[in-house]
Amino acid sequence: MIDETKLAFAHPEDRAQATAPNARDRISLRDHVVEVEIGAFQPERGTTQRVRFNVVVEVRPSDAFETDDVDKILSYDTLTDAIAAELAAERLNLLETLAERVALRILDEPAALRCFVRIEKLDRGPGALGVEIMREAADERPPASDRDAPHPRVVYLSNDAVASDQLPGWLDALEADGTPTILCVGPADMARPVSGAKPAQRRIDLLAIEQNAWVLAGRDPRCLVVSTRTELDWAMRHGRITVWAPSKIVLDAVEAPPAGPVASVRLAQWFAETMHAVEIVLAGAAPDGGADLPLRRVDAAAATLL
């Protein structure tokens, strides 16, 4: 039985002999090393480590050898660009997740038939620690644009807005409008623990916001508290109103957003931009700095939110 993954990274002559007469054309990226912050363990946060990529892509035959036309081939830049794009998208805990996303991004290219990805951490042990995967292009795989999450409306609720008698009516209107809605809150108006260590205080402040998210969820069962991008995407596709629990997305962000009680509105604005929201609505709150998307303000006791 042929070990396809092993052969993918073997010498081209070895693979040609093992797969003849059905060997496919391939392009490859070998020993591409990047400094990146990745990992599920606490010592891996706040620091970078070397990660090595090896990628092999089996491609459809073309007549590029006759025309010498670069537009008819799968460019090597596609491989490095796929890696760079996924590393920039968000901080990840698992090499498995990164390998999957890199492979699927490459397989979005029409010329790509099958993709082998090997990723190794070079600084976590006496040897290279890594994963290897193989993915094939699906015949009926939807284009990337169809798989993208919907663009939501992000609504920031002040504590007065959370407690407002208008909340049920606002939720009714948001449901009827049909635009995917994500609610954001700040911390409750109560004393919180104080730590002299900035990383610890950051987590305390984020947890304070999450506690208040559950307060909002307790006011109306339509408010579903979620913490991951996967949960948010699922909820938006299924018409659920969600309340953002920010710890995971904030702590995993490649470019750290503002955090803490004084920055809760600014954090919501950052989140709205990250989610490519159609707009952000501030109920009972004022903007905190500029926003790169449409922004509206309403009073905490307003009869209508939309």
Side-chain angles (χ1 to χ4, degrees):
M1 182 176 180
I2 297 176
D3 185 338
E4 292 278 10
T5 303
K6 180 179 179 181
L7 282 174
F9 299 106
H11 190 279
E13 187 173 305
D14 295 334
R15 179 170 177 81
Q17 291 177 356
T19 58
N22 300 314
R24 290 171 171 170
D25 294 346
R26 300 186 299 158
I27 67 169
S28 62
L29 173 68
R30 306 279 182 169
D31 299 327
H32 179 62
V33 179
V34 180
E35 288 268 351
V36 60
E37 182 184 339
I38 189 170
F41 296 99
Q42 194 60 37
E44 295 179 291
R45 291 189 174 273
T47 186
T48 61
Q49 57 184 300
R50 291 177 303 146
V51 176
R52 180 168 60 202
F53 293 82
N54 281 275
V55 180
V56 176
V57 185
E58 293 181 345
V59 297
R60 302 181 191 280
S62 76
D63 62 354
F65 69 95
E66 295 177 346
T67 61
D68 202 34
D69 185 350
V70 70
D71 291 334
K72 293 186 176 182
I73 64 166
L74 181 63
S75 170
Y76 304 109
D77 290 340
T78 301
L79 310 188
T80 54
D81 289 349
I83 293 168
E86 294 304 333
L87 290 177
E90 65 175 317
R91 184 197 181 281
L92 296 175
N93 291 325
L94 301 178
L95 292 182
E96 288 84 350
T97 305
L98 179 57
E100 182 79 17
R101 293 184 180 182
V102 168
L104 294 183
R105 182 177 285 269
I106 291 170
L107 289 171
D108 277 334
E109 296 293 325
L113 291 170
R114 190 159 59 159
C115 184
F116 299 84
V117 179
R118 173 191 288 164
I119 309 179
E120 299 165 299
K121 293 181 179 181
L122 303 181
D123 302 324
R124 285 291 293 168
L129 309 176
V131 300
E132 296 177 353
I133 68 168
M134 182 275 288
R135 297 292 183 267
E136 293 189 69
D139 292 338
E140 298 183 0
R141 178 180 171 81
S145 59
D146 292 344
R147 296 196 305 273
D148 290 341
H151 298 296
R153 171 185 290 115
V154 172
V155 179
Y156 178 86
L157 301 175
S158 69
N159 289 336
D160 287 340
V162 170
S164 173
D165 292 337
Q166 304 295 340
L167 180 64
W170 291 347
L171 297 179
D172 290 341
L174 290 170
E175 280 189 322
D177 178 72
T179 302
T181 298
I182 304 174
L183 306 178
C184 296
V185 297
D189 296 324
M190 58 185 296
R192 291 176 294 282
V194 177
S195 171
K198 289 184 177 180
Q201 189 62 53
R202 184 177 181 83
R203 287 181 175 269
I204 290 169
D205 293 337
L206 290 170
L207 288 172
I209 294 174
E210 295 191 359
Q211 287 180 318
N212 211 22
W214 284 104
V215 171
L216 174 57
R219 290 217 59 208
D220 193 294
R222 290 174 289 183
C223 297
L224 177 69
V225 178
V226 298
S227 60
T228 68
R229 182 62 183 262
T230 298
E231 291 175 298
L232 286 167
D233 289 349
W234 181 91
M236 287 190 290
R237 292 186 187 282
H238 290 81
R240 296 293 304 272
I241 294 176
T242 55
V243 186
W244 181 44
S247 290
K248 179 170 176 53
I249 290 177
V250 169
L251 294 174
D252 288 351
V254 174
E255 295 184 8
V262 298
S264 55
V265 173
R266 186 151 38 101
L267 180 61
Q269 292 175 192
W270 170 87
F271 175 66
E273 292 167 2
T274 299
M275 296 297 293
H276 304 292
V278 294
E279 69 170 342
I280 180 169
V281 179
L282 303 180
D288 187 351
D292 294 332
L293 48 79
L295 184 151
R296 291 191 294 113
R297 293 180 62 187
V298 299
D299 187 82
T304 181
L305 194 68
L306 301 180

